Amino acid sequence: MTTILVTGGDGYIGSHCTIALMNEGYDVVVFDNHSTGFKSTGEALKDVKSEGRLLDNIEGDLLHPEDIDGAFREHHIDAVIHFAAFSQVAESMSDPGKYYMNNVAGTMGLLDSMRRNDVRRIVFSSTAATYGEPKYVPIDESHPQWPINPYGRTKLDIEYMMDDYDRAYGIKSVRLRYFNVAGADSEGRVGECHDPETHLIPNILKSTFRDGIEFKMFGTDYNTRDGTCVRDYVNVEDLADAHILALRYLENGGKTDYFNLGTNEGSTVKEVFAACEKVTGMRIPIKIEGRRPGDPATLVADNKKAREILGWEPKRSLEDSIRTAYAWERKKRGLTSSP
């Protein structure tokens, strides 16, 4: 049985990927310092009925070599999927040192431990933030990478580091550059639970549980089909599927490479609101505000490379993502029946 180490496996995307791995027959070791992930997620993962097993859920820090070396020594790890990172753009602007230490130095510690323990394959959770302001859309992998915030720069630094570690040490990597991730586990076992929550869809859905609170919409005068920003929302379970395909690509001798993960389509903010109202059956009060500085009009992925090389195809719609996210929000509040 192949064993995969999932760093950040108790986080939002990491937990969904852990379930997908076990469903595909992999054994999994989760490694998380719970600075942003949630210990309670580990309890949900224990109850997953699947072909593979959750062998261990280790609380440790990539900045502590003894922690990560211990995980490799205790378990025969065949490959790594690396999610452990800080990801709040605004916080990265106010405290860049925290991001360079955790994201860049932490990843270096992981790669060095992989070297010491003869593990040579890693799938890395990168981001479309490495591209910065779009020069054209849809954005393909040839688009210039000029990140505009420390969060995006730390992810790009890691991509460069992985190129160097491949050339020098033979560690093969796949970097998956996500666009906007949405949704929750279709069986309601795990979902999005950030504090603070900065993503559009969960914040819209949270507003439905607070009567009379208006949700702010920033900017309605963009050069888009309805004047609001366009974003590419990829379902979190589709995203987890992509990690399985990337892992198999490396298992089959694939070279170090990078892929965009998005739907090749975009939804405007108004369209997201309309879809949320349709799913919840509720009218969501909106207050129109001016544009926020630095918000591009359109961010949409060109996913052709992932489709052609990895064989990945997003299957779930925006409404699917909203429906599972809403079910998760209701479950967190003890509202288990259908709305």
Side-chain angles (χ1 to χ4, degrees):
M1 188 77 75
T2 302
T3 301
I4 309 301
L5 179 72
V6 180
T7 68
D10 280 339
Y12 172 41
I13 303 172
S15 60
H16 289 82
C17 188
T18 295
I19 290 173
L21 285 164
M22 292 191 292
N23 285 341
E24 291 297 316
Y26 291 96
D27 287 343
V28 180
V29 175
V30 167
F31 184 94
D32 201 305
N33 69 4
H34 298 116
S35 60
T36 57
F38 293 86
K39 292 183 181 181
S40 59
T41 302
E43 295 303 312
L45 295 176
K46 285 181 183 177
D47 296 331
V48 174
K49 301 295 187 290
S50 59
E51 295 297 316
R53 299 165 295 167
L54 180 63
L55 298 182
D56 205 350
N57 194 314
I58 300 168
E59 183 157 356
D61 198 305
L62 294 177
L63 294 172
H64 301 154
E66 64 277 11
D67 290 351
I68 187 64
D69 277 341
F72 281 111
R73 284 195 303 267
E74 188 172 348
H75 302 280
H76 178 75
I77 303 297
D78 297 286
V80 176
I81 300 183
H82 179 34
F83 296 100
F86 293 144
S87 60
Q88 301 293 336
V89 170
E91 184 186 49
S92 79
M93 300 286 283
S94 63
D95 192 2
K98 175 180 178 180
Y99 277 66
Y100 281 98
M101 178 62 71
N102 184 78
N103 294 5
V104 180
T107 301
M108 188 177 196
L110 172 62
L111 292 171
D112 285 339
S113 187
M114 290 174 64
R115 287 176 57 204
R116 290 191 292 271
N117 292 278
D118 197 29
V119 179
R120 293 289 183 266
R121 297 189 296 274
I122 182 170
V123 177
F124 172 55
S125 167
S126 191
T127 172
T130 64
Y131 294 120
E133 295 284 352
K135 308 299 181 189
Y136 55 83
V137 288
I139 297 169
D140 59 21
E141 289 83 356
S142 298
H143 189 285
Q145 288 182 287
W146 293 104
I148 60 174
N149 53 65
Y151 164 65
R153 283 190 281 272
T154 63
K155 292 285 190 170
L156 184 56
D157 286 348
I158 292 167
E159 290 200 16
Y160 287 143
M161 187 193 310
M162 288 182 167
D163 285 334
D164 292 335
Y165 272 61
D166 179 10
R167 285 187 288 266
Y169 311 122
I171 295 178
K172 302 297 179 187
S173 63
V174 167
R175 286 87 69 138
L176 299 176
R177 298 171 184 162
Y178 312 159
F179 281 65
N180 292 61
V181 187
D185 174 52
S186 54
E187 296 185 31
R189 295 163 292 189
V190 292
E192 194 162 5
C193 197
H194 296 123
D195 185 19
E197 183 56 72
T198 60
H199 293 165
L200 177 64
I201 289 173
N203 276 332
I204 294 174
L205 296 176
K206 286 175 188 293
S207 74
T208 67
F209 297 95
R210 300 191 298 253
D211 291 342
I213 293 187
E214 293 178 321
F215 197 91
K216 293 180 180 179
M217 181 181 293
F218 295 97
T220 57
D221 58 348
Y222 289 94
N223 185 23
T224 61
R225 54 184 172 268
D226 63 17
T228 60
C229 290
V230 175
R231 295 294 182 266
D232 190 339
Y233 294 92
V234 58
N235 180 274
V236 69
E237 291 183 301
D238 284 340
L239 201 72
D241 292 342
H243 289 75
I244 305 293
L245 293 169
L247 185 62
R248 288 176 177 159
Y249 165 85
L250 290 176
E251 289 172 342
N252 291 327
K255 66 181 180 66
T256 289
D257 212 338
Y258 38 83
F259 302 91
N260 287 343
L261 295 184
T263 64
N264 229 61
E265 299 176 357
S267 300
T268 69
V269 175
K270 285 183 178 179
E271 288 166 348
V272 172
F273 269 91
C276 287
E277 289 186 329
K278 179 179 179 182
V279 168
T280 63
M282 299 178 66
R283 180 184 172 276
I284 302 170
I286 299 172
K287 182 179 181 182
I288 304 299
E289 299 275 2
R291 294 188 187 189
R292 291 180 299 192
D295 270 351
T298 303
L299 289 174
V300 176
D302 183 329
N303 64 14
K304 180 180 179 182
K305 185 177 176 183
R307 286 189 283 112
E308 291 183 347
I309 296 178
L310 298 181
W312 179 71
E313 196 77 51
K315 302 171 184 174
R316 298 162 179 90
S317 68
L318 176 64
E319 279 194 24
D320 292 332
S321 295
I322 293 171
R323 191 173 296 108
T324 54
Y326 187 50
W328 173 249
E329 288 295 335
R330 290 180 62 83
K331 180 179 179 179
K332 287 193 294 181
R333 291 166 170 78
L335 304 171
T336 55
S337 60
S338 298

